[in-house]
Amino acid sequence: MDINQLEVLVAVAQEKSFSRAAETLHRTQPAISQAIGRLENEIGELLFDRSSKDGTLTAAGRVLFDLAQQILNMRQHAHTAIRELKDLHRGKLSLSANEYTVMYLLPVLPAFRARHPHIKIEVRRSLASRIPSEILGREAEIGIVSFKPGDKAIAAIPVLTDELSLIVVPDHPLARKKVISVRELGAESFIAHNVPSPYRERVIRTFEKYKTPLNISMELPTLESIKRFVEQGMGVALVPRLAAQTEIARGQVVALTVREMKLERRLHLVYRKGATLSHAACAFLQLTRDMQKQVDARSSKPQA
């Protein structure tokens, strides 16, 4: 039993004629009769009452006709669903990011939703160190990390360069400066992230190199909580500028550059190398390329 035979069965039953079914399906009448004959042989039951001239179904024919209609409808739904996926009228975009790298998505996801409003977006929160393994394990299609994974099975696209900034409250004595030195920070109370990272180690080594005390008065588990405590004047903090861009824009904190710690982070979009990505994931990658081209074009324009 195959789909073509079921199509013939439904056509004959609906047209109530072998000849009209042949015209509808653009086949010859003998081909229609042979298809019904093979179907009857396979089932072991007659499907049409041969004494009737109007294609009357037998009891077995009526049962198979109902099931055949369901199968053909399911096939049509399957074609429609796949076409909608391709046309981005349905589907899901699965991303993985940590508390910091998710900030990259703030301008990107609204632009994606504007282009593809029917795509469901799912963002998993994860530790940066786990994101590459989640990508390889197909837990998410695309990850956003602040390093280039060493695994050769992962492709990485650089999308944004960020820098480490010192954030202070607007009325802090250092707030009037744009650039400061490490030695000016010896008397400051620092609020630090308690998650180990290469950048934390580089900061510690830099303070040691310039023989300046690093007074960590408080350690917190999230960047969000660190920013809130800085806003309350509880101390200063070194954070990625991207993570504090909203507070900086609103004037809630002031961002300074530490001359000896111009530590840049390059954010990457990562995915399985050679993977057949979903249409939604491909559209997301294309959008990020388009947005990056716009940024590059603006930065290359001569300043007035």
Side-chain angles (χ1 to χ4, degrees):
M1 186 186 305
D2 60 34
I3 290 289
N4 290 332
Q5 290 173 333
L6 296 180
E7 283 181 325
V8 171
L9 169 67
V10 170
V12 174
Q14 290 177 335
E15 296 293 336
K16 297 188 179 300
S17 165
F18 278 66
S19 60
R20 287 197 295 272
E23 293 177 5
T24 299
L25 296 176
H26 305 290
R27 299 173 68 176
T28 64
Q29 184 170 335
I32 296 297
S33 298
Q34 290 172 8
I36 295 298
R38 287 194 296 270
L39 195 53
E40 290 176 328
N41 289 335
E42 182 175 345
I43 294 173
E45 293 281 348
L46 291 176
L47 299 174
F48 292 94
D49 184 351
R50 296 300 196 275
S51 65
S52 171
K53 295 183 179 180
D54 61 358
T56 300
L57 289 164
T58 64
R62 287 194 295 274
V63 171
L64 187 57
F65 172 77
D66 290 340
L67 293 172
Q69 281 191 309
Q70 294 179 38
I71 292 171
L72 294 177
N73 286 338
M74 287 178 64
R75 183 182 68 166
Q76 182 58 44
H77 290 159
H79 282 302
T80 301
I82 296 301
R83 185 171 60 254
E84 288 179 347
L85 280 175
K86 186 175 181 180
D87 296 339
L88 295 169
H89 293 308
R90 68 160 64 189
K92 182 176 75 171
L93 174 63
S94 176
L95 305 169
S96 186
N98 64 12
E99 183 195 13
Y100 161 51
T101 59
V102 75
M103 303 301 292
Y104 167 76
L105 299 176
L106 285 178
V108 180
L109 291 187
F112 183 83
R113 288 301 300 272
R115 286 191 184 186
H116 312 293
H118 303 294
I119 301 297
K120 178 182 178 181
I121 300 171
E122 181 182 274
V123 182
R124 295 172 54 94
R125 179 174 176 175
S126 181
L127 293 175
S129 58
R130 294 179 182 172
I131 291 176
S133 61
E134 289 178 356
I135 296 301
L136 293 176
R138 294 172 172 80
E139 296 176 50
E141 281 196 282
I142 299 174
I144 306 101
V145 295
S146 58
F147 58 93
K148 186 175 181 179
D151 195 317
K152 294 183 179 179
I154 292 180
I157 302 174
V159 290
L160 179 72
T161 299
D162 192 19
E163 62 182 11
L164 197 67
S165 294
L166 180 81
I167 57 172
V168 302
V169 288
D171 60 355
H172 191 283
L174 295 175
R176 296 187 298 273
K177 299 185 176 184
K178 291 184 177 180
V179 181
I180 58 174
S181 67
V182 170
R183 291 192 172 93
E184 293 178 80
L185 300 175
E188 299 297 330
S189 294
F190 276 82
I191 303 171
H193 204 216
N194 61 10
V195 177
S197 73
Y199 291 93
R200 179 185 171 112
E201 294 304 315
R202 289 175 69 179
V203 167
I204 292 172
R205 289 199 301 269
T206 301
F207 272 80
E208 291 174 347
K209 176 181 178 181
Y210 289 94
K211 297 179 173 57
T212 301
L214 174 57
N215 304 309
I216 298 178
S217 61
M218 190 181 304
E219 291 188 314
L220 297 171
T222 66
L223 292 170
E224 200 65 30
S225 60
I226 290 172
K227 291 184 294 182
R228 299 292 83 81
F229 275 89
V230 170
E231 288 176 23
Q232 294 176 30
M234 299 292 291
V236 302
L238 286 160
V239 300
R241 190 180 186 90
L242 179 64
Q245 60 184 350
T246 300
E247 291 79 8
I248 295 169
R250 292 174 179 170
Q252 295 166 239
V253 298
V254 174
L256 310 174
T257 298
V258 181
R259 186 179 298 109
E260 299 85 355
M261 286 191 291
K262 292 184 177 179
L263 306 180
E264 291 187 343
R265 296 186 182 198
R266 193 68 186 264
L267 269 62
H268 293 79
L269 297 182
V270 296
Y271 57 94
R272 285 185 298 114
K273 189 176 292 184
T276 302
L277 297 176
S278 68
H279 293 293
C282 290
F284 178 80
L285 291 177
Q286 184 59 53
L287 172 64
T288 61
R289 294 188 185 99
D290 293 344
M291 294 182 71
Q292 189 61 46
K293 287 179 182 177
Q294 293 173 7
V295 171
D296 294 342
R298 286 196 297 268
S299 62
S300 63
K301 287 183 178 179
Q303 298 297 318

